[in-house]
Amino acid sequence: MTRHAAVSLSGLALLISLSFTAQAEEALRVAADPVPHAEILNYVKKIDPSLNLKVIELTSGVNANELLAHGDVDANYFQHVPYLHEQEKALGQTFRVAATVHIEPLGIYSHKIKTLSALRDNASVAVPNNVTNLSRSLYLLQKEGLIKLKPGYDDPAKNQATPQDIASNPKHLKILEVESPQIPRALDDVDLAVINGNYALEAGLVPARDALGLESSQHNPYANILVTTPALAGDARIKRLAKDLQSEQVAEFIRQNYKGSVIPVTGQPQ
């Protein structure tokens, strides 16, 4: 080997080393709903400051899975697995679940009544209009005895329900499908509203205190997840963030800050 070739190879090795170093130092961009997801990620930044984490808070109307598919972010943290599968079909993309973190129990809220037993006939009920959370809402209404779905619709993990699957509606409830982020604003206009936990928290509601009916956390198929692409699934930064999010330290932060309105998967029966 000539001296020139040796120097060239040495220079190439240095460039490769610098490239890997630069890649390791690149910020890990994670899109997240402001509450509680971004709050949890910002806590991770405090307990693991050497992880270069850039939290990008989502605004209404922005699809975090499209951002991920287009390479605008490296991961997102805002959704549950049934919604992810729906998005994969809609976008023609395949994603990877990097970590299962917490549950935000779906709740039933009202500005007009204090208990579900006080609900009047022909009451209006706002529910999310996306497929998975609409189904989830109907199962919750069934759990609270307000409607009855067709035979076989007793496990939300197995069968997605639509209003057409309501077999019994003794109070003749009017089911109104609304964009999920808009439902808290509709509370003054409807008798009941079924609201996702993150949107309830953003609206100043405390699910564990204010909900008239609340999903169970046990055996709940709607745990929120950290999602990335197949290409980044093995990235050391993704694995490190996943480990942080599933740590007992983060679980304790969730328990202390959200008081049962957000429930860590760590330590929960599966």
Side-chain angles (χ1 to χ4, degrees):
M1 181 182 295
T2 67
R3 181 176 181 276
H4 177 73
V7 171
S8 297
L9 286 174
S10 176
L12 179 60
L14 177 61
L15 286 173
I16 292 173
S17 175
L18 290 173
S19 174
F20 277 116
T21 301
Q23 184 179 22
E25 292 176 349
E26 286 178 2
L28 181 64
R29 304 163 300 166
V30 184
D33 278 336
V35 181
H37 309 80
E39 294 175 344
I40 295 169
L41 289 172
N42 284 324
Y43 177 71
V44 169
K45 291 175 70 172
K46 291 181 180 179
I47 64 171
D48 191 359
S50 61
L51 175 62
N52 189 1
L53 183 59
K54 182 178 181 180
V55 181
I56 301 168
E57 292 193 12
L58 295 168
T59 56
S60 181
V62 175
N63 187 328
N65 287 316
E66 287 185 351
L67 293 179
L68 183 56
H70 295 155
D72 297 315
V73 296
D74 305 305
N76 64 48
Y77 173 38
F78 76 102
Q79 64 192 319
H80 48 63
V81 168
Y83 182 77
L84 174 66
H85 290 335
E86 178 191 326
Q87 284 282 287
E88 287 179 321
K89 292 176 183 177
L91 298 174
Q93 298 284 335
T94 299
F95 299 107
R96 290 285 180 86
V97 176
T100 302
V101 186
H102 74 264
I103 296 164
E104 297 167 20
L106 199 71
I108 302 173
Y109 302 86
S110 178
H111 281 174
K112 298 182 178 179
I113 59 173
K114 299 296 184 183
T115 64
L116 292 177
S117 61
L119 188 64
R120 64 181 179 86
D121 287 351
N122 298 302
S124 55
V125 184
V127 299
N129 67 352
N130 65 74
V131 174
T132 53
N133 286 315
L134 170 58
S135 174
R136 190 178 173 187
S137 299
L138 295 176
Y139 276 102
L140 179 56
L141 293 173
Q142 175 172 253
K143 171 179 172 285
E144 297 298 334
L146 297 176
I147 64 170
K148 181 68 177 176
L149 297 171
K150 293 176 181 177
Y153 284 83
D154 53 10
D155 185 348
K158 293 181 179 178
N159 297 305
Q160 285 194 333
T162 70
Q164 287 68 45
D165 298 312
I166 297 175
S168 175
N169 185 359
K171 287 186 175 290
H172 309 287
L173 302 180
K174 297 175 183 176
I175 307 296
L176 308 176
E177 298 179 31
V178 180
E179 290 281 347
S180 296
Q182 306 303 321
I183 296 179
R185 301 174 192 172
L187 271 170
D188 289 331
D189 301 316
V190 297
D191 296 294
L192 290 182
V194 183
I195 306 176
N196 290 84
N198 58 315
Y199 297 127
L201 290 167
E202 287 177 23
L205 297 165
V206 179
R209 180 194 68 203
D210 299 324
L212 303 183
L214 202 62
E215 279 181 331
S216 170
S217 63
Q218 294 191 16
H219 309 293
N220 189 312
Y222 301 107
N224 281 217
I225 50 178
L226 176 69
V227 175
T228 189
T229 63
L232 287 172
D235 189 295
R237 299 166 302 163
I238 293 286
K239 290 184 174 181
R240 183 168 167 181
L241 176 57
K243 184 177 180 180
D244 285 338
L245 286 171
Q246 293 176 312
S247 69
E248 179 55 35
Q249 197 168 356
V250 167
E252 185 59 21
F253 170 81
I254 292 172
R255 284 191 286 266
Q256 291 296 322
N257 282 269
Y258 301 108
K259 310 296 184 185
S261 296
V262 181
I263 302 166
V265 169
T266 300
Q268 285 292 311
Q270 301 298 309

